[in-house]
Amino acid sequence: MHFPYGLSDFGTLRQEGYWYLDRTDRLAALENAGRQLIFLRPRRFGKSLLLSMLEHYYDLNRADQFEALFGPLAVGQHPTRRHNQYFVLKWDFSLVAAYGEIGDIEAALHQHINDRIYQCIDDYQSHWKRAISLHPHNALSSLESLLGAVRRTPHKLYLLIDEYDNFANEVLMAAHPGGQDHSQCHGLKPPGSKPGGIQA
């Protein structure tokens, strides 16, 4: 058995026999904690792995993998009713450049969100009953279009946001070319959103 140092993909960890400390018995408590969750722990404390576990647990496309991934675990023995019931959309802000002019950072963030929305559209393409529009320079409009399509299905959207804290810190700590204040970067927060897991 291997120790999964630096490995944050739950599927790889489970399928390749890495050691995993089973805390899936907490999933029922997380579901009862509310619709918007935020996890505040230091770096290297397993937040990314936790989000990956949530992604595999709630993703409706992974229903046929449930027994292989979760069967021997606590939640596999006592699953909640919500397992594999959601469209999953994941944003990873570690992939977004947090330096340069404010316009460059905004463009990079909009691009990442649009890329992830495009992947979500492709992953669940058989479920959509209406066209979903991607707006290259306005990812929030793209998100609204996706949510409109989600509302026409029997499922909901589970939004996972990773590395938001480090991204925000890098933006605020970066040099300010031209005297611009990066803390004044507006218009990038989805309506009603908070970091962590969000059911919409």
Side-chain angles (χ1 to χ4, degrees), residues 50-176:
L50 172 61
L51 293 187
S52 180
M53 185 270 286
L54 295 176
E55 177 183 3
H56 285 75
Y57 184 75
Y58 289 110
D59 185 359
L60 63 91
N61 276 352
R62 290 186 165 98
D64 60 347
Q65 302 174 30
F66 181 81
E67 183 60 30
L69 294 174
F70 294 97
L73 303 179
V75 78
Q77 302 300 307
H78 303 284
T80 68
R81 289 184 297 175
R82 297 181 185 177
H83 79 86
N84 302 117
Q85 295 297 310
Y86 291 86
F87 302 113
V88 174
L89 175 62
K90 185 175 181 180
W91 300 345
D92 182 354
F93 287 178
S94 70
L95 303 176
V96 182
Y99 51 83
E101 301 281 352
I102 291 178
D104 296 331
I105 298 172
E106 288 187 350
L109 188 51
H110 281 286
Q111 183 65 56
H112 175 69
I113 293 173
N114 268 325
D115 288 345
R116 301 312 303 158
I117 291 174
Y118 178 83
Q119 187 63 56
C120 182
I121 294 169
D122 188 59
D123 287 344
Y124 304 103
Q125 55 185 306
S126 64
H127 294 273
W128 310 125
K129 299 178 181 178
R130 56 164 279 183
I132 302 171
S133 301
L134 282 179
H135 302 267
H137 305 296
N138 190 336
L140 295 187
S141 292
S142 303
L143 180 61
E144 288 294 342
S145 183
L146 174 63
L147 292 176
V150 168
R151 284 191 287 268
R152 287 167 172 77
T153 75
H155 302 286
K156 294 183 178 182
L157 179 73
Y158 207 109
L159 173 61
L160 299 168
I161 306 176
D162 199 9
E163 295 290 348
Y164 56 88
D165 50 350
N166 190 52
F167 172 79
N169 288 337
E170 287 188 8
V171 170
L172 293 174
M173 296 300 293
H176 298 170

Side-chain angles (χ1 to χ4, degrees), residues 7 9-18 56 69:
L7 178 61
D9 181 73
F10 179 79
T12 299
L13 185 149
R14 295 291 297 150
Q15 292 165 354
E16 298 186 7
Y18 283 89
H56 285 75
L69 294 174

